[in-house]
Amino acid sequence: MNFTNKIIIALNLALVILLSGCEKKYNEITIQQELISDIEKLNQKVIELEKTIEESNDEKKIQQAFNSTRLSYKKIEWAVEYFTPDPARFINGPALDELEVAENTFIPPNGFQVMEELMFPNYDIKNKEELVRTTKILSGNLKQIKEHLSVITISNAHILDASKMELNRVLALGITGFDSPIAFQSIPEAKNSLGSIGNLISKMDFKSSESVQCQKEIKALINQAGNYCDSNTDFKTFDRAHFIKSFLNPISKKLVAFQKINKIEKTSRNTVVNPYSATIFEKDAFDVNAFIPSKEYQYSKEKAELGKKLFYETSFSNNKTRSCSSCHIPEKAFTDGLKTNQSLKGGNLSRNTPTLTYASLQNAQFWDMRQLDLEKQSLDVITNKDEMHGNVANAIQILNKDKEYQKLFKKAFPDSKKIEEWQVQNSLASYIRSLNAFDSRFDEYMRGDSNDFTAEEKLGFNIFAGKAKCATCHFIPLFNGTVPPSYQKTEQEVIGTPSDKNGKKISPDLGRYLQYEMPQLKNAFKTPSLRNVGITAPYMHNGVFSTLEEVIDFYNKGGGAGLGISVKNQTLPSDKLELTPKEAKALVSFMKTLTDKH
């Protein structure tokens, strides 16, 4: 080979490398350019919607324009929610005030859900001015988001992570009606959200045959899911169990496989969900360390082993007769079976003892959310004069004399020379963090490990996630109030719980208002986990209901406001659910499948 040929080959090789780099860069830019273009198109639709509202009083025309506009939003939801989560709250967040409790202030809601309340189920011309104002604010927010998304770098890792989060958003919020609670457009909107994932994955530039095949399989599954949505548009009859098992879970598995095939690194944006978990229903899907105060509080088996022994330790109580296990009985899913807890002196306290199972997967503890983590929760109970009236420092003096405790502390905290208070708190919290079994019949059914799920239980799940709207507060799959898919916030609700079963007066317990005197928080309580709910009766913060049937009847009637109690700040819709006896029975059957085996 002569020198000239070598030069030509080298130049050709350099050109191939250069073009390959350009192609990769071009594809990355294309995703961003398409995103910006879609935002511009959405904003134009918002402007047209505003014009329609201003110029027409035709209810159907206005509602159709609204539905079309939010369908366009679903194409870009993956990016808006992922890259700009704060303003996203005012694009399609709940029509509730955004509370800044530490500052004792709030921000009024804005966006699609506010507009939905103003035009569905029936449009009142009196709402015209407010609707126009809301569309103008929405347009302004979209312009800000466009500016932000125009200058950021969107990597392959971001695209994949955002795709998985959007898939989980569809599962937990989309098909449950969380962001279309009145218009019931959740199913066609879910199709658009999934379509955006398919579009993103298909544009990612990986050349291996294995990668290309995986891309095709993801696209095919998404197309099948879209076709299913087209054929099953009715919100109340949509088979969510089938949809999750047949489409969403397989798509999730393929996205994780695609990530591994192409060695796409994980990002630090979503710290709660394991990026390599096949689906959100796996036992390892959630990281308890995402909810710890700081890195030295990391979970370990050694800490949990020590914490288990401390859980039964009576030296923390003032009279040396009460331990954590006195009120959190393992056989009762770590509750006590009482209407309300008993005080140290034998009297009744005002609140029901909640389960400790899955308590680690939330961002606030106690019914009134007064502590943010399990470490502070344990100290709160130990020092509370009505519960244990104890002192950790005094208990440590006793622990120091016990050789078994010395050994366990050394294993749990090998770098420490003495037992410290934070270690006691961390060990107790670590034991509680070990109480997330994820081995209920529901879990096994959703993972495909078992088909032990009756037709009635399946109907109950579909009612739970659909017609009854339970899943819009008790989010799948944790069934608590920690909001998916980022799980950075745990919600409270005002449901108007009565003081007794006759439902004439609201419970006098002001809940979270006792910590933050904001009118929105009067009678507000944390949304508890429904896992193990079949064995944790009685229910509600005051134990007012003895059975799940009573609880469902309460919700079926529209909560406290539906019963005729004056609850001006009730966040639960006061409309009757109109559940049939068959549906209510199925709902109970489903909730009992959330009981852990161990």
Side-chain angles (χ1 to χ4, degrees):
M1 183 181 296
N2 60 37
F3 181 75
T4 303
N5 288 336
K6 288 181 179 179
I7 291 292
I8 292 171
I9 291 172
L11 287 172
N12 285 336
L13 180 60
L15 182 62
V16 168
I17 294 171
L18 179 63
L19 289 175
S20 175
C22 289
E23 181 183 2
K24 184 175 180 64
K25 187 66 177 175
Y26 174 77
N27 279 335
E28 290 175 356
I29 292 173
T30 298
I31 288 174
Q32 194 159 13
Q33 286 180 331
E34 185 175 342
L35 173 60
I36 299 306
S37 175
D38 285 339
I39 293 175
E40 291 171 347
K41 290 175 184 176
L42 171 60
N43 200 27
Q44 186 57 42
K45 274 186 170 288
V46 172
I47 293 170
E48 291 170 1
L49 173 60
E50 179 187 332
K51 185 178 179 181
T52 301
I53 294 167
E54 285 181 323
E55 297 179 355
S56 174
N57 296 325
D58 187 323
E59 176 182 273
K60 187 174 182 181
K61 186 177 181 180
I62 292 171
Q63 290 178 346
Q64 286 178 340
F66 171 82
N67 289 338
S68 175
T69 304
R70 194 159 60 182
L71 277 171
S72 293
Y73 168 70
K74 289 296 176 175
K75 292 180 65 177
I76 65 167
E77 181 181 53
W78 69 272
V80 175
E81 291 281 355
Y82 187 77
F83 293 110
T84 58
D86 291 332
R89 171 66 177 75
F90 302 100
I91 300 294
N92 196 39
L96 297 169
D97 293 333
E98 182 74 6
L99 305 181
E100 301 288 346
V101 294
E103 288 78 32
N104 199 40
T105 61
F106 68 92
I107 306 171
N110 195 80
F112 286 117
Q113 289 198 48
V114 173
M115 298 168 69
E116 183 176 327
E117 284 198 353
L118 293 170
M119 62 177 73
F120 290 89
N122 303 112
Y123 174 62
D124 188 335
I125 193 172
K126 294 178 182 177
N127 294 329
K128 181 187 289 284
E129 184 178 340
E130 179 64 15
L131 271 170
V132 170
R133 187 190 71 84
T134 305
T135 55
K136 289 182 184 297
I137 296 173
L138 177 58
S139 181
N141 286 335
L142 286 172
K143 288 176 182 176
Q144 289 183 7
I145 287 171
K146 175 191 168 186
E147 290 178 7
H148 178 78
L149 295 180
S150 297
V151 298
I152 64 172
T153 299
I154 302 178
S155 68
N156 287 330
H158 289 144
I159 292 170
L160 192 70
D161 197 36
S163 295
K164 289 192 286 186
M165 287 185 72
E166 184 64 12
L167 184 73
N168 290 335
R169 182 179 290 106
V170 170
L171 189 156
L173 303 180
I175 59 175
T176 65
F178 178 82
D179 53 3
S180 184
I182 308 172
F184 295 113
Q185 290 297 302
S186 299
I187 308 310
E189 289 177 4
K191 177 187 175 181
N192 272 26
S193 295
L194 292 173
S196 70
I197 298 173
N199 183 53
L200 285 171
I201 299 301
S202 66
K203 280 185 165 56
M204 294 180 75
D205 187 40
F206 293 102
K207 300 299 186 183
S208 74
S209 58
E210 190 179 9
S211 177
V212 171
Q213 180 61 30
C214 194
Q215 284 173 304
K216 289 179 180 178
E217 290 170 354
I218 292 170
K219 188 74 172 181
L221 280 168
I222 287 175
N223 288 338
Q224 291 169 25
N227 292 336
Y228 187 83
C229 290
D230 286 338
S231 302
N232 301 271
T233 57
D234 184 73
F235 177 80
K236 292 184 179 180
T237 60
F238 189 76
D239 190 340
R240 291 159 178 83
H242 173 75
F243 192 69
I244 292 170
K245 284 175 65 69
S246 300
F247 304 114
L248 299 187
N249 280 352
I251 293 170
S252 178
K253 291 175 182 178
K254 289 295 179 183
L255 288 174
V256 172
F258 184 75
Q259 180 178 13
K260 291 178 179 178
I261 289 168
N262 296 296
K263 297 181 173 61
I264 300 173
E265 67 274 19
K266 65 179 182 178
T267 74
S268 59
R269 285 180 177 266
N270 188 2
T271 59
V272 179
V273 178
N274 177 359
Y276 303 111
S277 180
T279 75
I280 206 166
F281 297 100
E282 309 305 311
K283 284 192 174 187
D284 66 346
F286 293 91
D287 182 7
V288 292
N289 285 321
F291 298 89
I292 63 175
S294 55
K295 63 180 182 179
E296 62 265 29
Y297 292 92
Q298 290 267 343
Y299 171 84
S300 72
K301 290 182 179 179
E302 291 76 17
K303 289 180 181 180
E305 182 184 359
L306 168 60
K308 184 175 182 179
K309 183 172 175 61
L310 291 171
F311 193 77
Y312 295 90
E313 177 59 57
T314 59
S315 63
F316 291 117
S317 65
N318 186 50
N319 61 8
K320 306 297 185 289
T321 62
R322 177 174 282 194
S323 69
C324 301
S325 65
S326 301
C327 302
H328 295 282
I329 304 167
E331 293 75 21
K332 295 181 179 180
F334 294 87
T335 62
D336 57 14
L338 302 174
K339 183 177 180 180
T340 59
N341 195 2
Q342 287 187 336
S343 73
L344 194 60
K345 296 179 180 179
N348 290 325
L349 298 178
S350 61
R351 293 176 183 166
N352 177 262
T353 301
T355 178
L356 294 183
T357 59
Y358 305 93
S360 60
L361 301 175
Q362 53 192 9
N363 296 291
Q365 303 297 329
F366 296 107
W367 280 104
D368 57 16
M369 306 172 70
R370 65 183 181 270
Q371 299 294 359
L372 297 180
D373 54 68
L374 287 168
E375 276 75 12
K376 296 183 183 69
Q377 183 263 353
S378 63
L379 184 64
D380 190 303
V381 173
I382 290 171
T383 58
N384 188 302
K385 65 181 180 63
D386 292 320
E387 296 190 59
M388 297 183 81
H389 201 193
N391 183 294
V392 177
N394 291 342
I396 287 176
Q397 294 180 20
I398 298 173
L399 302 181
N400 269 321
K401 298 175 182 177
D402 188 301
K403 290 185 178 180
E404 186 177 355
Y405 269 124
Q406 290 175 6
K407 182 179 178 182
L408 289 171
F409 270 98
K410 192 63 181 176
K411 284 177 64 180
F413 304 96
D415 297 330
S416 182
K417 295 180 180 180
K418 62 178 181 178
I419 300 174
E420 299 181 51
E421 288 191 32
W422 76 270
Q423 296 170 350
V424 172
Q425 294 171 242
N426 186 211
S427 299
L428 283 167
S430 295
Y431 175 55
I432 297 170
R433 291 183 180 116
S434 73
L435 304 178
N436 308 329
F438 289 108
D439 65 356
S440 69
R441 289 201 297 114
F442 169 79
D443 294 308
E444 293 183 343
Y445 174 69
M446 279 298 177
R447 286 197 290 264
D449 296 338
S450 169
N451 287 319
D452 182 17
F453 217 67
T454 67
E456 182 179 60
E457 291 163 350
K458 183 180 177 182
L459 171 64
F461 171 74
N462 285 325
I463 296 296
F464 182 95
K467 182 179 178 180
K469 297 184 181 179
C470 309
T472 60
C473 294
H474 299 277
F475 303 110
I476 302 166
L478 297 182
F479 297 97
N480 64 14
T482 306
V483 186
S486 62
Y487 301 95
Q488 300 301 311
K489 176 184 177 183
T490 296
E491 290 189 338
Q492 72 277 322
E493 299 288 344
V494 180
I495 61 175
T497 305
S499 58
D500 53 58
K501 290 183 181 180
N502 65 28
K504 301 300 181 184
K505 293 182 180 180
I506 194 168
S507 165
D509 191 333
L510 294 177
R512 206 173 184 205
Y513 184 80
L514 296 173
Q515 277 70 51
Y516 303 99
E517 294 185 1
M518 302 179 69
Q520 298 94 330
L521 293 177
K522 279 189 175 181
N523 307 108
F525 296 92
K526 182 181 68 179
T527 303
S529 175
L530 296 185
R531 284 183 169 274
N532 292 304
V533 72
I535 57 173
T536 56
Y539 306 104
M540 304 302 188
H541 71 272
N542 57 353
V544 66
F545 298 128
S546 303
T547 67
L548 287 173
E549 286 79 4
E550 290 174 352
V551 173
I552 291 170
D553 183 63
F554 170 74
Y555 282 107
N556 198 21
K557 291 174 178 175
L563 292 172
I565 300 173
S566 177
V567 195
K568 294 179 181 180
N569 63 330
Q570 182 167 304
T571 55
L572 174 75
S574 59
D575 303 325
K576 288 179 170 55
L577 296 175
E578 298 181 346
L579 299 178
T580 66
K582 178 182 178 181
E583 290 170 337
K585 184 172 180 291
L587 198 49
V588 172
S589 294
F590 159 66
M591 287 194 283
K592 289 180 178 179
T593 70
L594 298 175
T595 303
D596 290 333
K597 289 183 177 178
H598 305 294

